[in-house]
Amino acid sequence: MLLFTFSIVIFAGCSKQGTTLQPDPDNGGLLLPDGFSALVVAEDLGPGRHITVKENGDIYVSLRRLQDGNGAVALRDTSGDGRADITQYFGSVSGTGIELHNGFLYYGADSMVVRYPFENYEDLLPAGNYEIIAGGLTDERQHAAKPFEFDGQGNMYVTIGAPANACMEQMRTKGSPGMDPCPLLEYAGGIWRFREDVVGQTQLEDGYRYSTGIRHAVALRWNDKVGKLYTVQHGRDQLHQFFPELYDTEQSAELPAEEFLMLDDGADFGWPYCYYDQLQGKKVLAPEYGGDGVETGRCEAKTDPVMAFPGHIAPNDLVFYHGTQFPDKYHNGAFIAFHGSWNRAPEPQEGYNIIFVPFDGQLPLGNWEEFADGFSQLSTVDNPGDAVHRPCGLATGPDGSLYVVDSRKGKVWRIFYSG
Amino acid sequence: MKANIILIPAILLLFSCAGKTEKGKENESVKVVKEPPVVEQQADLSDHPGQPLYTQHCLPCHQADGNGVPGMYPPIVETKWVNGDNKTLISIVVHGMDEEIEVNGEFYNTIMAPLPHLSDQQVSDVLNYVRRQFGSSTEKITPEEVKIVRENES
C-alpha cells in the first residue's frame, strides 16, 4: 500500500520539471520568504561542511570528520522528486572545501587541497585516488578548514586561516601581548593563490600570498559577473574575556564585525592589529596592540569591508546568485550562511540562518535581509549545543535552486521558488 | 503522503537520541559517584565565589549550561575530568590541555589555553563551583592543592 502510494507520487513528480518540485509540507522546518519552498534532499549524512552540485544534479558534501573512513558523500536523485535515492560515501580525507572543476572533484582537507578524477564525469563517484594540488598547508587544530575557489583563468585560491585568535605571545591567554610583527602572517591569516592544474605544489615553494590580514574565512567565492574574489571573515573573539575594562559583555557580543571582504591582489585587511567596529564604522587598533576601542593608529591604512555583520555569527559559506529561477531582486546578489555564534555568551547567540545581500556590480546595494531561518528549531539560541541544525554550506544547482547543508547531523535542503 | 512517511522516522529518531543521552548520563554518574549526592548540591549557587569566575573565564567557551560548543569546546557536564581526580582537573586550568578527547561520542581537539592569571584561591573557587554546578563529585579542591600542581607541572 505504501509502495503503491509512493510510486504515484514519484510519477506525478516526474511529469513536472524544475520549479514544480513538490516541497515538504513544513519546508523541512525552514522559514522562508513568500513564494519560496524547500524539500529535504537527505538527512543524517554526518557532520556536513560544504556542498556542490554537478550539472546533472548529483550532489557532493564534504564532512568534518571521517564517517567509517570516508570524508565525503555523494547523492543522486533517480526519481526526479529532488530527494536523494542513492547515497554513497567515498574519499579518504575529511575537510571543508568541495568543488567540481574541469572534470575533477576538488577537495580541501585541512592540510592540502586534492582532486579526484572521474572515469566518466557523469558517474556519481570519482574513480581512484586523489592527487595533491596544493600541499604543506598549516593544520594546527584551530581555523584549519581549507576552502578554495577558482577564477576561471587557471588559478585556485585557498583560505589559510591563522591558528590564533589575536596573535598573542601565549595563545588566548589574558594579559599576553600581541606579537608585532605577527609571524603567523608569513604562512597563514590570508588567501594564497596556486595553479589549479599543477600537481604537487606546496605553499612554501609555489603559493602566492594574494591577500593578507584575514584571520579566518570559510566562505570564499569568485563572482564571475564582476571578476572579483570575495570572502567573509570570522572576526576575533573574547574582547570582554581578556579586556573587561574596555568592553562589557554586550559590546563583546556585537564586536568586532564579521567582515564581507572584496579581495584584490596585495590587499591587507588588518588582522591581528586591527578589527572593524561596525558601530563606529571604522577599523580600530586591537587591544593586544595597544588599542582602547577607539584609536585607529595603523589601521587607517588597512582595507575596509564592503559590508559588516554583527559579531561572531560565523559566516561559513557564500554564493552569488546567477540563476534565473529566483525573482529579479536576487539576481547577482549574495547568499551567506551563518553557522551561528558561540562567543556572544552570556548574551543570546545569533546567526544560525541564511541572509541575502543585494548587489549592484561589485558592491552591496542597501541592507542585507534574512532569507532562511528555522535551522536551530529554537526562537532563541542560548547555547550552541541546543541548535538542532546549523547551516554551514551553500550551493546553487543547475536549475537555480539553492542547496544548504547542516553541520550538526548532515541534513541537506533544496530551496526553490514556486511563486 | 511521501513527506508523512519521512517525518515519522525522523521524529522517532529524535526521541531515541534524547533517550540515549539521558541514559548515558545516568550510567556515567553511577560509575563516578561514590557517595550519594548531598542535599547541599541543590543549593542556590548564585553567591558562590566561583560563579563570577566561571562567567568571566569559562563560560565564553563552555557556555552557560556547561555543554560547550559542538565540535569545538567539549561539554563539562558530568565528565570524567570534572568528576575525576583533583590533580588532573587543576592541571587543565593551570597548565591547559593539548590532546584530542572524546566526550559523549563527539571528538574535540581544540587546545584549551591555560589560565595562569587566576590565583590559587580563584582556581579552587571556580573548580568547586564547576563541580557543584555541572558535576556530581562533592570532593573539595583547596588552594594548597592548586599551588602544588602549579609548581610541579609547569
Side-chain angles (χ1 to χ4, degrees):
Chain A
M1 185 62 194
L2 276 180
L3 272 178
F4 183 63
T5 317
F6 194 66
S7 56
I8 287 172
V9 172
I10 288 167
F11 185 73
C14 285
S15 68
K16 299 172 181 177
Q17 292 294 319
T19 54
T20 53
L21 287 164
Q22 294 301 310
D24 288 343
D26 66 345
N27 290 326
L30 301 188
L31 306 169
L32 300 164
D34 285 347
F36 285 91
S37 307
L39 59 83
V40 175
V41 176
E43 295 196 75
D44 297 315
L45 297 176
R49 290 290 287 177
H50 278 181
I51 182 168
T52 191
V53 185
K54 208 188 255 180
E55 294 81 348
N56 70 1
D58 289 347
I59 299 166
Y60 299 86
V61 172
S62 57
L63 300 170
R64 182 168 56 78
R65 289 192 72 90
L66 295 177
Q67 302 291 293
D68 294 327
N70 297 298
V73 55
L75 308 170
R76 176 172 282 182
D77 166 26
T78 56
S79 63
D81 69 348
R83 287 124 180 129
D85 301 298
I86 300 173
T87 301
Q88 292 201 326
Y89 288 80
F90 68 99
S92 56
V93 287
S94 59
T96 296
I98 190 163
E99 277 203 62
L100 293 147
H101 188 65
N102 288 349
F104 292 88
L105 181 72
Y106 283 72
Y107 191 101
D110 286 354
S111 63
M112 58 188 174
V113 178
V114 305
R115 70 179 185 189
Y116 294 91
F118 285 90
E119 193 176 324
N120 299 298
Y121 188 61
E122 293 303 308
D123 292 346
L124 179 59
L125 289 190
N129 291 332
Y130 63 71
E131 51 192 11
I132 298 172
I133 300 300
L137 315 180
T138 190
D139 174 8
E140 297 170 64
R141 297 154 53 192
Q142 190 178 177
H143 304 151
K146 298 295 182 300
F148 56 85
E149 178 60 313
F150 305 98
D151 64 2
Q153 296 154 45
N155 297 306
M156 177 177 79
Y157 300 83
V158 183
T159 290
I160 303 178
N165 177 40
C167 206
M168 298 154 98
E169 281 176 12
Q170 282 175 293
M171 198 194 61
R172 295 188 190 246
T173 302
K174 185 173 160 56
S176 179
M179 290 187 273
D180 196 0
C182 174
L184 302 178
L185 292 170
E186 296 299 313
Y187 68 92
I191 310 288
W192 267 256
R193 189 178 68 196
F194 299 85
R195 294 297 301 170
E196 67 182 21
D197 54 356
V198 177
V199 175
Q201 299 169 89
T202 65
Q203 185 188 7
L204 214 58
E205 294 286 318
D206 311 290
Y208 169 73
R209 193 175 74 176
Y210 185 73
S211 295
T212 189
I214 303 169
R215 177 177 173 270
H216 183 44
V218 191
L220 182 68
R221 200 68 71 170
W222 181 262
N223 183 349
D224 50 19
K225 284 279 163 70
V226 298
K228 288 272 183 190
L229 186 63
Y230 295 80
T231 190
V232 198
Q233 176 181 244
H234 282 221
R236 52 86 41 87
D237 302 320
Q238 296 162 298
L239 284 170
H240 169 72
Q241 194 181 356
F242 297 151
F243 301 94
E245 66 284 3
L246 292 176
Y247 306 89
D248 62 25
T249 55
E250 218 168 300
Q251 290 168 314
S252 190
E254 282 305 316
L255 299 174
E258 304 286 54
E259 302 181 36
F260 196 169
L261 308 175
M262 183 171 73
L263 307 183
D264 281 303
D265 191 350
D268 179 357
F269 297 96
W271 182 90
Y273 316 112
C274 313
Y275 68 81
Y276 191 79
D277 180 327
Q278 73 276 30
L279 308 174
Q280 300 180 69
K282 63 177 185 181
K283 290 228 164 171
V284 299
L285 202 57
E288 289 83 0
Y289 292 88
D292 59 1
V294 179
E295 191 190 338
T296 52
R298 69 180 100 172
C299 305
E300 281 168 30
K302 309 297 184 188
T303 306
D304 279 345
V306 295
M307 184 171 261
F309 303 107
H312 312 296
I313 59 180
N316 268 12
D317 210 355
L318 159 71
V319 291
F320 288 95
Y321 192 78
H322 298 317
T324 53
Q325 185 196 113
F326 289 7
D328 287 350
K329 72 174 261 194
Y330 295 98
H331 294 184
N332 303 318
F335 290 98
I336 298 173
F338 287 109
H339 195 219
S341 65
W342 58 267
N343 196 221
R344 292 178 72 95
E347 306 297 320
Q349 306 295 350
E350 298 285 348
Y352 302 87
N353 61 358
I354 296 170
I355 62 128
F356 175 71
V357 182
F359 261 70
D360 180 22
Q362 295 182 347
L363 298 173
L365 175 71
N367 292 326
W368 56 276
E369 62 187 42
E370 186 168 79
F371 179 73
D373 196 13
F375 294 95
S376 71
Q377 297 183 14
L378 299 166
S379 54
T380 306
V381 179
D382 289 320
N383 302 285
D386 298 338
V388 176
H389 299 291
R390 303 177 73 179
C392 192
L394 296 174
T396 44
D399 76 336
S401 295
L402 182 69
Y403 292 78
V404 187
V405 64
D406 143 63
S407 70
R408 292 302 310 273
K409 300 190 171 77
K411 187 166 177 171
V412 175
W413 295 263
R414 178 170 174 179
I415 301 172
F416 47 97
Y417 186 72
S418 38
Chain B
M1 194 62 199
K2 192 189 170 194
N4 286 339
I5 298 167
I6 294 171
L7 265 179
I8 293 160
I11 290 163
L12 285 178
L13 189 72
L14 280 176
F15 186 75
S16 67
C17 287
K20 200 175 167 189
T21 310
E22 286 306 312
K23 207 173 161 192
K25 271 184 196 171
E26 279 167 26
N27 286 344
E28 199 173 334
S29 54
V30 167
K31 263 184 251 163
V32 176
V33 177
K34 288 171 184 129
E35 294 163 323
V38 290
V39 179
E40 195 190 24
Q41 274 191 301
Q42 310 301 324
D44 175 17
L45 296 178
S46 59
D47 289 337
H48 194 289
Q51 195 274 335
L53 292 167
Y54 181 82
T55 301
Q56 175 69 25
H57 303 287
C58 315
L59 179 146
C61 299
H62 294 292
Q63 302 293 313
D65 66 354
N67 277 319
V69 181
M72 288 186 81
Y73 307 121
I76 54 176
V77 178
E78 294 293 358
T79 63
K80 66 179 183 185
W81 293 273
V82 167
N83 287 334
D85 79 278
N86 291 3
K87 245 193 235 172
T88 307
L89 185 58
I90 294 166
S91 178
I92 290 170
V93 173
V94 175
H95 302 302
M97 192 172 186
D98 185 7
E99 62 186 82
E100 185 175 74
I101 58 168
E102 184 185 350
V103 184
N104 304 333
E106 181 138 15
F107 291 86
Y108 300 86
N109 70 358
T110 309
I111 296 162
M112 156 119 180
L115 302 168
H117 52 287
L118 296 187
S119 70
D120 296 342
Q121 182 66 52
Q122 287 177 312
V123 173
S124 89
D125 283 343
V126 78
L127 289 179
N128 287 326
Y129 170 79
V130 162
R131 277 196 169 157
R132 288 185 57 184
Q133 183 71 11
F134 302 117
S136 46
S137 167
T138 54
E139 200 172 325
K140 285 268 163 47
I141 286 173
T142 66
E144 289 70 31
E145 286 175 278
V146 177
K147 186 168 187 285
I148 292 166
V149 174
R150 196 192 295 276
E151 286 167 358
N152 286 356
E153 296 173 47
S154 54

